[in-house]
Amino acid sequence: MRGLQAAGGAPLTGETEEGAVPAAPLPARRIAVLATIVPIVYALDLVTKTLVLRTLEGREPFVVVPDLLQFRVIFNSGAAFSLGTGMTIIFTCVATAVVVAILRTARNLRSLPWAITLSLLLGGALGNLTDRIFRWPSGFGPGRPSPLQGHVVDFIETFPGHFPVWNIADSAIVCGGILAVLLAWRGYQIDGTRDTGAAKTTKDTKESKENNDG
């Protein structure tokens, strides 16, 4: 069998090409990860927002640790961490595009770390997008004249007065973004392969040798 593989040019070591280290396909596991993490993030975001609205809206902040952590309800028309207020409909469109892009990317997903990363990003994006579509002043009922411009509920305040207020969806998006940067930096690809840089190095060495010989 190894002789037939070698004669046919098939890799013997599990590498698909020089510089790329493949991972075994994980379609079932990646689906399980998406189907687990996304609903958990979304549910945590929705439940915590509902609870704080019922218990803290219109009241003084609930101090957990003085000068470190407190819960205070605000309605954010901007992006994550209360940034970019006044651009609500733009952020709604961006969030929708992010959700669509993640779902399209998931069709080629073969990496477990990337499955976790995209699950965090998708769960967080869906959480805040739900607020954009259904919370005041957005919505579809009477007295809701601003479709797709709902305000996101933020309530977690760390280092009060020095750091923006955020929510569970924001934290999931930030964690997913950090993981995406780390995975890309380490060369892990969404399709399950890993770019080690060996292919580029070999190519550069070959071209340099050809130039020297010429």
Side-chain angles (χ1 to χ4, degrees):
M1 178 63 71
R2 292 177 62 86
L4 291 174
Q5 289 178 323
L12 301 179
T13 61
E15 296 190 0
T16 56
E17 60 180 44
E18 191 174 15
V21 181
L26 299 171
R29 292 177 66 183
R30 69 103 190 267
I31 293 174
V33 168
L34 288 170
T36 301
I37 297 180
V38 173
I40 288 176
V41 172
Y42 183 80
L44 282 175
D45 183 65
L46 183 61
V47 168
T48 52
K49 287 174 179 176
T50 301
L51 287 176
V52 297
L53 285 175
R54 290 181 178 179
T55 57
L56 294 178
E57 185 178 6
R59 301 182 182 180
E60 292 296 318
F62 177 78
V63 178
V64 180
V65 180
D67 299 323
L68 179 62
L69 175 64
Q70 67 181 25
F71 296 150
R72 176 169 67 92
V73 175
I74 68 168
F75 295 93
N76 174 22
S77 62
F81 302 106
S82 303
L83 302 176
T85 57
M87 302 174 63
T88 309
I89 194 166
I90 295 177
F91 291 123
T92 303
C93 295
V94 170
T96 303
V98 168
V99 170
V100 173
I102 293 174
L103 291 174
R104 288 177 61 88
T105 302
R107 296 182 302 178
N108 301 320
L109 188 61
R110 292 295 183 274
S111 167
L112 187 57
W114 271 107
I116 296 173
T117 299
L118 295 183
S119 296
L120 291 172
L121 292 172
L122 181 57
L126 287 172
N128 282 341
L129 183 60
T130 299
D131 285 358
R132 302 288 185 200
I133 297 175
F134 295 105
R135 293 201 188 275
W136 188 91
S138 183
F140 303 98
R144 300 293 185 91
S146 303
L148 304 181
Q149 298 187 53
H151 295 177
V152 173
V153 177
D154 290 333
F155 62 93
I156 305 172
E157 188 172 19
T158 50
F159 302 103
H162 302 283
F163 198 76
V165 186
W166 47 285
N167 57 42
I168 299 298
D170 293 338
S171 64
I173 291 171
V174 170
C175 290
I178 293 173
L179 284 175
V181 171
L182 291 176
L183 290 173
W185 176 59
R186 295 290 295 171
Y188 289 98
Q189 308 296 313
I190 289 178
D191 62 2
T193 61
R194 183 181 180 186
D195 184 3
T196 63
K200 184 178 185 302
T201 302
T202 303
K203 180 180 179 181
D204 292 342
T205 303
K206 182 179 179 181
E207 291 178 351
S208 177
K209 182 177 178 181
E210 290 176 350
N211 291 332
N212 292 333
D213 291 342

